[in-house]
Amino acid sequence: MPYLTTADGAEIFYKDWGTGQPIIFSHGWPLNSDAWDVEMKLAADNGFRAIAHDRRGHGRSTSTYTGNDMDTYAADLAALVDALNLTDIILVGHSTGGGEVVRFAAQHGAGRVVKIATAGAVPPVMVKSDTNPEGTPIEVFDSIRAGVLADRSQFYQDLSAQFFGTNREGSTISQGQRDQFWRQGMQVGLAAAYDCVKAFSETDFTEDLKALDVPIFIAQGADDQIVPIDDAAMKSINLVKNGTLKVYPGAPHGIAGSYQQELDKDLLEFWLS
């Protein structure tokens, strides 16, 4: 299995499928690169080189105690791009991964990144503050940290309902899909799972979004119970120079079911355009 060793010694696992223009996929919390397998196959089947990594502390990458912050995540991605000598890059990020690709593109991707797509992404900033009064109260994120510490196995099982919207009438998401979320969550190191909550909720990506000058496709489900759309996609689209927004009626945060089918069609169209 391919690994990259970062400057601080962390080993980052990655998948590398197909040939052609590279598309890098960045996963959400508490998942890993397996979350993107369907989209990676879609990309590779259509003439692209699909690459996805397990963020440090997640999946098969080193279970790190330090470096579980957005600047380090972006630096790790930059190290992977350097190691593979990638150019003409398309970035795709979900949730926390949306923040990671936005920061990478703004701070490391000049001249290399040509397109960005995000889905249910955390930018511009999630937590409520004096400058972001519409944000999510810090107590919500404190409760996530408490759940991770107290009984993360049960916490991930419970969280999967909101993640995929199975608590909504008419949901067709399977128990297997929820089990897959739990399986990936249980592969995250405790320190990384805990610290990443701060990374995805308190990092301010406003200036990163403003700095982007490449086309960016911003997608989000209208019924996202994890990242509130009014404080995410609806704000981000007004901060980027060359953005397209698509809202999926009734769709949840997790990419699955009919939402995944529709989103994947739109992603492929964006990649090929």
Side-chain angles (χ1 to χ4, degrees):
M1 293 188 295
Y3 283 87
L4 164 81
T5 302
T6 65
D8 68 350
E11 291 190 322
I12 305 298
F13 169 83
Y14 66 95
K15 302 177 182 182
D16 190 349
W17 298 356
T19 58
Q21 183 181 9
I23 303 179
I24 299 177
F25 296 86
S26 183
H27 63 81
W29 179 94
L31 306 175
N32 59 53
S33 59
D34 292 352
W36 283 120
D37 278 356
V38 172
E39 289 71 28
M40 288 187 67
K41 186 177 186 304
L42 176 68
D45 286 349
N46 283 276
F48 294 95
R49 180 181 179 184
I51 300 163
H53 63 295
D54 291 356
R55 190 170 298 116
R56 64 167 56 217
H58 296 63
R60 289 138 293 201
S61 293
T62 300
S63 183
T64 51
Y65 182 69
T66 59
N68 303 304
D69 59 83
M70 200 57 66
D71 285 340
T72 306
Y73 296 157
D76 288 348
L77 182 51
L80 178 61
V81 167
D82 288 343
L84 297 180
N85 194 27
L86 302 177
T87 58
D88 198 31
I89 301 164
I90 300 172
L91 298 171
V92 181
H94 173 237
S95 195
T96 300
E100 180 181 84
V101 299
V102 163
R103 176 136 299 183
F104 165 79
Q107 300 190 7
H108 304 277
R112 285 180 158 179
V113 174
V114 295
K115 292 180 185 176
I116 304 167
T118 65
V122 296
V125 60
M126 288 191 71
V127 73
K128 181 178 181 179
S129 65
D130 291 342
T131 56
N132 187 38
E134 306 86 9
T136 302
I138 189 69
E139 290 79 10
V140 172
F141 304 110
D142 288 341
S143 70
I144 294 174
R145 282 183 278 260
V148 167
L149 283 178
D151 183 353
R152 63 186 186 276
S153 182
Q154 188 61 52
F155 178 78
Y156 292 143
Q157 289 187 11
D158 294 342
L159 182 63
S160 68
Q162 290 177 287
F163 192 90
F164 291 113
T166 62
N167 55 353
R168 302 301 202 210
E169 185 176 354
S171 172
T172 59
I173 301 301
S174 68
Q175 183 62 47
Q177 188 75 59
R178 295 181 63 180
D179 291 346
Q180 173 76 327
F181 176 91
W182 172 86
R183 180 190 69 82
Q184 292 182 42
M186 292 304 294
Q187 291 182 288
V188 185
L190 180 60
Y194 187 94
D195 291 348
C196 190
V197 177
K198 180 180 178 69
F200 73 65
S201 65
E202 297 184 37
T203 304
D204 191 339
F205 299 94
T206 300
E207 296 306 315
D208 299 305
L209 289 166
K210 290 179 179 179
L212 300 178
D213 57 5
V214 298
I216 178 168
F217 175 64
I218 299 173
Q220 189 158 11
D223 192 30
D224 191 325
Q225 299 175 64
I226 305 298
V227 178
I229 189 171
D230 287 341
D231 202 42
M234 294 303 189
K235 286 187 176 180
S236 291
I237 192 62
N238 293 320
L239 293 169
V240 296
K241 297 180 179 69
N242 188 10
T244 300
L245 171 68
K246 181 162 182 181
V247 177
Y248 296 78
H253 185 67
I255 300 173
S258 59
Y259 172 40
Q260 183 174 37
Q261 294 170 10
E262 188 174 358
L263 175 63
D264 285 357
K265 289 179 183 177
D266 293 334
L267 286 175
L268 181 58
E269 181 179 347
F270 179 67
W271 299 338
L272 292 170
S273 65

